[in-house]
């Protein structure tokens, strides 16, 4: 399904600030895989998602989705088959547009946009159903501007928008990190439900080890631009957070100190 | 007094077309486009040249739409493909247009007083000032209706989202570069059309007539927002027209109380500054600022 092969990404190449954010990374996702991605700050997690989405071009390697090389496509072209949710709840929605307008924008993902009316009656009905399923009362706010919504509501909308047209691949970058624990839990449940219902192939970055173990069927750990640990379904099931930390120390041959706080919060 | 009022309304309407262009870039695309100071006289220059060369006044009024669109496209390409900041891209096009406009006209100024224009054609059957008001209202209403329709189409909504949250709309598969270029093209097409009509209205085209146009447009947009609010697109576009008329009335009033016409740019700048710093406007802008920093 998604085959990443020997991908290297270097920022600020040939300057004093040169930084290898991804170092020869290879990763394969099967159809329906839900892979959680953990790693300390600056490990390259976001960069991995960003090179898949086309925000950054890669320096070498290949990225194939269903056998098609996508690493040369611009971001907006890849977006027609990749759904994304960002960490910042403000980033995923257009604030001065209404709830239904935002959903309509998402509804047109991957289709040719023309001079048809942006929202049809049929769309509205669908939006209502989908929003009702979120259980946040958003179905009564279809014509409200999104800037009036809370961060949690906006993030729930973003998850919905990223999956409204079924993407071949869903990329989630710490999409619950900026929310309070209660809201975060809701978004996690919502994510799990939507991913399961649609059998979405998903890559989810999280700082929360617990979350990384309980969600999804596979887990990878990144460190300094490399995948240092890859767990399949069975290995993952028997893992605890302490085991993960131990693994980290074993692989790296160094003590897991300042990262612990970050990784376990 | 009535004459003073009518003249201001005429001007307010004809300049409203330019202000609607400014609204599209400044408010919808969140792009401070200074091309306006060049594309406005571009429209006037093309219209004046075509009329004195014997083309039909209607053609001389509509061809500037295309010319203005081209100017906008150039600014858009400089900004998106050339990676020049928006402000500078606009200034570059505007500066280049100054020379181009002089080339088009062949001299700094073309009088149109004894020429046949859309206005003389129109007023042959309808008495003045109704002819002007009718003609300009008709043009403004067309443009307003176009925007009110276009901004709710799929492409129009993608364009609004480009100004509102480019990250988001790119992640939904929209080429934001193309949207910016499209928005700049439409905006400057309107600005040039306005220039073409103004030249025929005032009876001449002048290479200098674009100076400060962007501020006049901004003043209209902001005054409109303060007076009418901007709850939705139809409200906002109507507000621009109202703002433009109020702005022209304010300018006429300033002249009436004894200011010189050379003082008008200063007055306009002060007007914009006052408008920008009054509380109501502040709250409008605060929303925008929160939006752009988030
Ligand atoms: N646009 C960029 N320009 C330059 N360097 C960058 C850029 N984006 C990321 N980097 C660098 O690449 C490295 C990996 O960054 P990345 O954002 O992928 O880390 P991360 O694993 O997502 O970390 P975090 O947990 O803090 O989100 C970091 O050293 C970062 O400073
Ligand atoms: Mg990150």
């Amino acid at each position: 399904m998604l085959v990443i092969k020997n991908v290297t990404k270097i920022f600020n190449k040939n300057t004093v600030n040169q930084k290898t954010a991804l170092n020869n990374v290879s990763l394969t996702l099967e159809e329906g895989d839900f892979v959680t991605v953990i790693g300390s700050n600056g490990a390259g997690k976001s960069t991995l998602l960003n090179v898949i989405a086309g925000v950054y071009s890669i320096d070498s390697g290949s990225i194939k989705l269903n056998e098609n090389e996508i690493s040369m496509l611009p971001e907006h072209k890849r977006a027609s088959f990749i759904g994304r949710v960002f960490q910042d709840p403000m980033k995923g929605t257009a604030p001065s547009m209404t709830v239904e307008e935002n959903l309509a924008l998402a509804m047109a993902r991957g289709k040719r946009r023309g001079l048809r009316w942006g929202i049809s009656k049929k769309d509205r009905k669908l939006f209502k159903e989908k929003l009702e399923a979120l259980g946040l009362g958003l179905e009564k706010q279809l014509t409200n501007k999104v800037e009036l919504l809370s961060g949690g509501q906006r993030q729930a909308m973003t998850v919905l928008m990223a999956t409204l047209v079924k993407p071949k691949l869903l990329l989630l970058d710490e999409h619950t990190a900026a929310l309070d624990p209660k809201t975060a839990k809701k978004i996690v449940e919502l994510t799990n439900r939507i991913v399961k219902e649609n059998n979405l192939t998903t890559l989810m970055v999280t700082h929360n080890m617990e979350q990384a173990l309980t969600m999804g069927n596979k887990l990878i750990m990144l460190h300094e631009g490399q995948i240092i640990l890859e767990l399949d379904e069975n290995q993952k099931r028997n893992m605890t957070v302490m085991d993960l930390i131990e693994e980290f120390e074993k692989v790296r041959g160094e003590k897991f100190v300042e990262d612990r706080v970050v990784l376990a919060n | 007094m009535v004459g003073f009022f009518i003249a201001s309304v005429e001007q307010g309407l004809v300049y409203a077309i330019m202000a609607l262009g400014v609204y599209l870039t400044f408010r919808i695309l969140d792009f401070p486009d200074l091309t306006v100071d060049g594309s406005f006289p571009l429209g006037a220059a093309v219209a004046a040249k075509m009329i004195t060369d014997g083309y039909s006044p209607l053609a001389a009024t509509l061809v500037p739409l295309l010319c203005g669109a081209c100017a906008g496209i150039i600014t858009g390409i400089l900004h998106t493909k050339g990676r020049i900041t928006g402000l500078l891209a606009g200034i570059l096009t505007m500066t280049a247009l100054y020379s181009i406009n002089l080339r088009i006209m062949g001299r700094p100024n073309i009088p149109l007083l004894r020429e046949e224009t859309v206005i003389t054609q129109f007023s042959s059957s309808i008495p003045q000032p109704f002819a002007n008001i009718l003609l300009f209202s008709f043009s403004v209403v067309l443009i307003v209706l176009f925007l009110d329709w276009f901004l709710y189409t799929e492409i129009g909504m993608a364009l609004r989202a480009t100004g509102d949250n480019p990250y988001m709309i790119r992640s939904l598969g929209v080429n934001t570069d193309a949207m910016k270029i499209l928005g700049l093209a439409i905006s400057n097409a309107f600005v040039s059309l306005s220039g073409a009509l103004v030249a025929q209205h005032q009876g001449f085209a002048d290479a200098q007539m674009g100076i400060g146009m962007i501020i006049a447009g901004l003043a209209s947009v902001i005054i409109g927002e303060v007076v009418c609010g901007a709850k939705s697109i139809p409200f906002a576009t109507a507000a621009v027209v109202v703002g433009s008329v109020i702005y022209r009335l304010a300018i006429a009033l300033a002249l009436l109380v004894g200011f010189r016409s050379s003082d008008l740019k200063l007055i306009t700048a002060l007007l914009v500054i006052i408008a920008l710093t009054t509380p109501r406007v502040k709250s409008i802008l605060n929303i925008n600022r929160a939006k752009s920093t988030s």
Side-chain angles (χ1 to χ4, degrees):
Chain A
M1 164 82 216
L2 176 72
V3 182
I4 299 171
K5 226 171 166 179
N6 305 329
V7 164
T8 296
K9 172 69 200 172
I10 304 170
F11 285 113
N12 306 316
K13 211 171 183 176
N14 302 325
T15 71
V16 282
N17 294 323
Q18 177 160 328
K19 169 86 201 172
T20 306
L22 292 176
N23 188 355
N24 215 19
V25 169
S26 297
L27 176 70
T28 302
L29 266 67
E30 305 296 337
E31 181 97 48
D33 266 354
F34 184 167
V35 179
T36 54
V37 184
I38 54 172
S40 44
N41 287 109
K45 307 179 296 293
S46 297
T47 306
L48 176 64
L49 264 53
N50 281 329
V51 296
I52 297 171
V55 179
Y56 305 130
S57 58
I58 53 177
D59 291 273
S60 62
S62 87
I63 304 174
K64 283 191 177 149
L65 193 68
N66 291 339
E67 318 283 295
N68 300 316
E69 182 66 42
I70 61 165
S71 60
M72 300 311 275
L73 293 178
E75 182 184 354
H76 67 268
K77 289 239 169 84
R78 291 190 222 183
S80 60
F81 42 80
I82 296 179
R84 268 194 294 163
V85 183
F86 311 101
Q87 174 172 353
D88 182 355
M90 305 300 148
K91 250 189 167 181
T93 40
S96 70
M97 297 177 75
T98 64
V99 169
E100 60 178 12
E101 283 172 344
N102 271 274
L103 293 173
L105 287 168
M107 192 74 182
R109 184 161 59 83
K111 298 181 195 112
R112 221 190 141 70
R113 285 169 212 258
L115 292 175
R116 265 167 315 213
W117 217 242
I119 312 174
S120 70
K121 247 203 186 115
K122 214 174 84 215
D123 292 342
R124 261 193 200 108
K125 213 171 134 248
L126 178 82
F127 297 163
K128 245 193 186 132
E129 285 168 20
K130 296 271 182 187
L131 288 172
E132 237 155 348
L134 297 184
L136 294 169
L138 283 171
E139 67 279 1
K140 292 186 216 88
Q141 306 195 43
L142 275 178
T143 53
N144 279 0
K145 288 189 178 173
V146 168
E147 66 198 3
L148 300 172
L149 306 182
S150 69
Q153 286 176 317
R154 284 180 74 163
Q155 203 65 329
M157 262 188 70
T158 312
V159 175
L160 177 60
M161 283 164 60
T163 54
L164 201 53
V165 174
K166 185 180 171 182
K168 293 202 173 100
L169 183 66
L170 179 62
L171 303 176
L172 309 168
D173 191 353
E174 298 191 50
H175 70 305
T176 62
L179 306 172
D180 64 84
K182 216 178 104 207
T183 315
K185 198 165 156 254
K186 264 195 185 160
I187 300 293
V188 165
E189 284 165 9
L190 172 70
T191 308
N192 270 329
R193 200 188 73 220
I194 288 185
V195 168
K196 224 165 258 155
E197 270 172 14
N198 299 291
N199 190 33
L200 296 174
T201 311
T202 306
L203 210 52
M204 180 180 93
V205 174
T206 174
H207 259 139
N208 185 327
M209 285 196 163
E210 188 69 45
Q211 208 176 62
L213 284 172
T214 51
M215 293 178 79
N217 65 335
K218 287 182 184 167
L219 180 151
I220 60 171
M221 187 188 276
L222 274 173
H223 187 71
E224 290 176 356
Q226 289 180 306
I227 297 178
I228 57 167
L229 183 70
E230 215 173 332
L231 301 179
D232 65 22
E233 201 150 11
N234 289 326
Q235 293 169 308
K236 189 163 163 290
R237 197 172 302 132
N238 304 318
M239 275 270 174
T240 64
V241 172
M242 281 324 284
D243 293 338
L244 260 187
I245 293 175
E246 236 167 68
E247 275 299 325
F248 179 86
E249 288 173 348
K250 209 164 67 198
V251 175
R252 295 302 306 168
E254 57 189 65
K255 258 282 175 244
F256 188 90
V257 237
E258 86 274 23
D259 276 329
R260 175 171 304 183
V261 192
V262 182
L263 283 164
N265 72 350
Chain B
M1 196 61 205
V2 177
F4 152 88
F5 184 77
I6 288 175
S8 300
V9 171
E10 277 179 22
Q11 293 216 323
L13 288 171
V14 70
Y15 280 101
I17 299 173
M18 177 273 299
L20 284 162
V22 171
Y23 163 76
L24 186 63
T25 46
F26 192 76
R27 277 293 181 244
I28 299 291
L29 265 188
D30 199 16
F31 188 105
D33 177 32
L34 297 190
T35 314
V36 171
D37 279 20
S39 56
F40 185 82
L42 171 68
V46 171
K49 180 71 183 157
M50 284 181 69
I51 286 172
T52 50
D53 281 357
Y55 288 93
S56 87
L58 186 65
T61 307
L62 295 181
V63 169
L65 278 167
L66 289 179
C67 303
C70 289
I73 289 170
I74 290 168
T75 300
I77 289 176
L78 287 178
H79 173 60
T80 57
K81 309 296 173 208
R83 308 223 169 268
I84 299 172
T85 58
L87 272 176
L88 187 56
I91 291 172
L92 285 169
T93 311
M94 168 184 83
T95 307
L97 279 173
Y98 187 78
S99 298
I100 292 171
N101 293 340
L102 281 170
R103 277 278 179 184
I104 292 171
M105 294 199 291
R107 53 195 153 135
N109 187 298
I110 297 182
L112 291 171
L113 284 176
R114 266 174 294 279
E115 304 286 344
E116 167 140 311
T117 65
V118 276
I119 289 164
T120 59
Q121 284 182 338
F122 209 67
S123 59
S124 64
S125 46
I126 304 165
Q128 288 292 19
F130 304 108
N132 278 350
I133 303 248
L134 216 65
L135 178 66
F136 295 156
S137 302
F138 176 72
S139 318
V140 169
V141 167
L142 268 188
I143 303 276
V144 164
L145 287 179
F146 169 81
L147 282 177
D148 290 353
W149 162 75
F150 174 71
L151 291 174
Y152 285 103
T153 63
E154 290 171 337
I155 293 182
M157 278 179 28
L159 189 115
R160 281 158 64 200
T162 299
D164 209 16
N165 187 346
Y167 302 99
M168 166 261 197
I169 198 61
R170 230 177 283 135
S171 81
L172 293 176
V174 169
N175 183 348
T176 49
D177 285 356
M179 285 300 131
K180 281 186 189 161
I181 295 171
L182 175 67
L184 284 163
I186 296 174
S187 164
N188 283 289
F190 293 166
V191 172
S192 285
L193 171 65
S194 179
L197 286 171
V198 166
Q200 297 176 66
H201 180 50
Q202 67 185 17
F204 65 91
D206 188 294
Q208 311 280 346
M209 68 193 278
I211 298 174
M213 202 47 67
I214 180 73
I215 297 298
L218 261 183
S220 309
V221 170
I222 294 169
I223 292 170
E225 277 171 10
V226 174
V227 175
C228 310
K231 282 182 265 314
S232 61
I233 303 284
F235 262 96
T237 50
V240 173
V241 179
V242 172
S244 177
V245 172
I246 294 177
Y247 169 70
R248 293 295 154 183
L249 280 169
I251 289 291
L253 205 67
L255 287 175
L256 211 65
V257 299
F259 285 100
R260 295 188 204 157
S261 62
S262 56
D263 295 334
L264 292 181
K265 300 268 189 272
L266 174 65
I267 294 171
T268 304
L270 288 176
L271 208 68
V272 172
I273 292 168
I274 293 168
L276 282 175
T277 44
T278 47
R280 173 80 190 279
V281 181
K282 252 190 194 154
S283 69
I284 294 173
L285 290 180
N286 273 340
I287 294 168
N288 286 325
R289 199 168 309 142
K291 197 173 71 190
S292 59
T293 50
S294 64

